[in-house]
Amino acid sequence: IINTSLNYTIEQWQFVPSIISEVESLSYEEASRALKENSHDHHSTLFHLKNFSEQQRRLREQNGAINVQTQEMDIRVSLETQIEINVLNNRLDSRILVSEMMILFNSLAAKFFAANKIPALYRHQSFPNQLDQTNIHNLYQTSGEEISKNYHLLRSLPQTKLTAEPLPHYSLGVPCYIQITSPLRRYADMVLQRQIIYFLNHNKFLYSKDEIEYSVFSTVSRIKDIKLLERQRQKYWLMKYLENRIKNCGSSKYPLTYPAIVLEANADSSKSLVQITQFGFRQRINLPSYYQIGDEVILNLMSVDTWNRTARFQVKRD
């Protein structure tokens, strides 16, 4: 429960056991429409939540947070010949609202765990060294092609680590952080939810530090395996989609073309990395040496091997 002033400044917050009773479920697109339409039933509620979330975002940025927009592929399959692929619009005000609420809940939960010395595992991202920090802020502030800039920005950030101590999270701009908002998706979040609920009800810990570490670390490798399978599944259906596009073109002498952004430009014999903007999909291809990072390139789709989840592209010649 969070109490705020009229200008959305947090005045008081507390954790209490609670039950959510769902009244209505809105998609991100529906919520964005509600924010734009004053007559919508949920406009007022979402409007205040949006203002509150923007306030939290500004505070994080003042503390050094780096907010990076990435492309995320959304694939929907009804039949093998009916595949719909879109790039999610992460700039939707409703998506930003939910993201900020999640970060706020996780950071306040981390403060609660730390203040009450409740065993937990925190997510820590260290501050870069001075040279790396200068490079990160230069990337963040330099104007230029956003996709390539964000790619290199994310690669420049220190790796996030799990720790039993409440340490800062650099890119989120918060003093401490845990993941607890997705108990249906991550088992470790469910463990921490159980831990906080038990503490609120009994004023003691359900799990010891060792039990928490075992529960979380034992799932890390499985989560990596699941993410790998998710990427492979996405790639398979993307290849199937491209294969269908080629078949539908029939005997056309003009190949399918797709714009892409250069992420890594290799002058030697190794292949360069590009991101196909229509899908948010990355592919290594041979590029002429004059292409630089951030350049747009038009690719011809030459062939697809669905079984091996690979596609062959060539640079379109003028």
Side-chain angles (χ1 to χ4, degrees):
I1 296 175
I2 298 173
N3 296 330
T4 77
S5 64
L6 292 176
N7 66 354
Y8 305 106
T9 300
I10 295 177
E11 294 183 334
Q12 184 183 9
W13 57 271
Q14 62 177 317
F15 282 94
V16 295
S18 51
I19 296 174
I20 295 172
S21 178
E22 183 181 294
V23 176
E24 189 169 349
S25 179
L26 300 177
S27 68
Y28 286 110
E29 290 73 20
E30 289 168 335
S32 288
R33 282 197 296 273
L35 281 166
K36 293 179 176 66
E37 298 171 4
N38 293 347
S39 59
H40 196 284
D41 291 345
H42 301 296
H43 173 78
S44 178
T45 300
L46 291 171
F47 174 78
H48 288 295
L49 279 173
K50 176 175 178 288
N51 288 343
F52 176 65
S53 69
E54 288 175 346
Q55 170 85 325
Q56 300 311 306
R57 188 180 181 93
R58 284 191 293 270
L59 290 173
R60 290 196 305 106
E61 288 173 345
Q62 289 171 13
N63 291 327
I66 297 176
N67 296 306
V68 179
Q69 298 291 338
T70 57
Q71 286 192 308
E72 186 179 345
M73 191 163 35
D74 178 44
I75 302 178
R76 304 191 180 188
V77 181
S78 50
L79 295 171
E80 284 203 359
T81 55
Q82 295 178 11
I83 305 168
E84 182 182 349
I85 299 182
N86 295 296
V87 171
L88 295 177
N89 182 6
N90 287 324
R91 293 186 182 280
L92 274 179
D93 42 15
S94 57
R95 285 189 179 276
I96 294 172
L97 186 160
V98 171
S99 175
E100 286 301 321
M101 293 298 98
M102 180 195 71
I103 294 170
L104 176 62
F105 188 98
N106 283 338
S107 59
L108 290 181
K111 288 180 180 180
F112 184 84
F113 273 85
N116 292 281
K117 296 182 171 53
I118 306 171
L121 275 180
Y122 301 83
R123 297 188 68 82
H124 166 56
Q125 187 182 58
S126 62
F127 288 83
N129 62 45
Q130 192 60 44
L131 183 62
D132 289 340
Q133 193 170 10
T134 301
N135 181 45
I136 287 170
H137 282 281
N138 286 342
L139 278 168
Y140 189 57
Q141 295 171 359
T142 302
S143 60
E145 203 293 312
E146 188 174 25
I147 291 175
S148 61
K149 182 172 69 175
N150 287 341
Y151 169 77
H152 288 278
L153 183 58
L154 287 172
R155 285 171 59 87
S156 299
L157 293 172
Q159 186 176 5
T160 302
K161 298 178 181 178
L162 292 173
T163 171
E165 301 299 320
L167 299 173
H169 195 294
Y170 168 74
S171 62
L172 291 179
V174 294
C176 52
Y177 193 76
I178 62 174
Q179 286 185 329
I180 194 173
T181 52
S182 300
L184 298 181
R185 188 162 56 91
R186 286 189 297 257
Y187 179 70
D189 291 35
M190 180 175 285
V191 169
L192 291 179
Q193 289 253 357
R194 290 172 178 165
Q195 181 83 315
I196 196 171
I197 291 169
Y198 194 83
F199 178 81
L200 289 170
N201 286 324
H202 304 286
N203 199 31
K204 58 184 179 180
F205 312 142
L206 179 62
Y207 301 111
S208 67
K209 176 176 173 289
D210 289 342
E211 288 172 324
I212 287 283
E213 289 185 357
Y214 176 79
S215 296
V216 175
F217 283 115
S218 64
T219 64
V220 169
S221 61
R222 295 177 187 176
I223 290 172
K224 288 181 179 177
D225 291 341
I226 290 169
K227 287 182 176 179
L228 175 60
L229 285 172
E230 287 176 344
R231 289 195 297 271
Q232 290 175 342
R233 178 191 63 84
Q234 275 197 332
K235 196 170 183 181
Y236 170 81
W237 286 113
L238 174 59
M239 294 304 111
K240 197 69 182 174
Y241 171 86
L242 294 175
E243 182 184 65
N244 292 341
R245 290 293 313 277
I246 291 176
K247 289 178 180 177
N248 291 337
C249 283
S251 57
S252 173
K253 63 179 180 179
Y254 299 106
L256 294 164
T257 60
Y258 295 96
I261 299 296
V262 179
L263 302 180
E264 297 174 8
N266 295 314
D268 54 20
S269 58
S270 58
K271 293 184 176 181
S272 300
L273 182 67
V274 300
Q275 183 159 316
I276 300 172
T277 53
Q278 184 174 333
F279 309 117
F281 169 69
R282 294 171 186 167
Q283 172 89 15
R284 290 203 173 270
I285 64 169
N286 291 312
L287 277 182
S289 59
Y290 53 79
Y291 279 105
Q292 301 296 316
I293 291 173
D295 287 350
E296 184 177 68
V297 56
I298 303 300
L299 305 178
N300 290 331
L301 175 61
M302 308 307 295
S303 63
V304 175
D305 182 348
T306 309
W307 181 260
N308 291 304
R309 298 188 294 275
T310 58
R312 187 167 66 89
F313 292 90
Q314 284 184 354
V315 177
K316 182 181 179 182
R317 305 292 180 178
D318 294 333

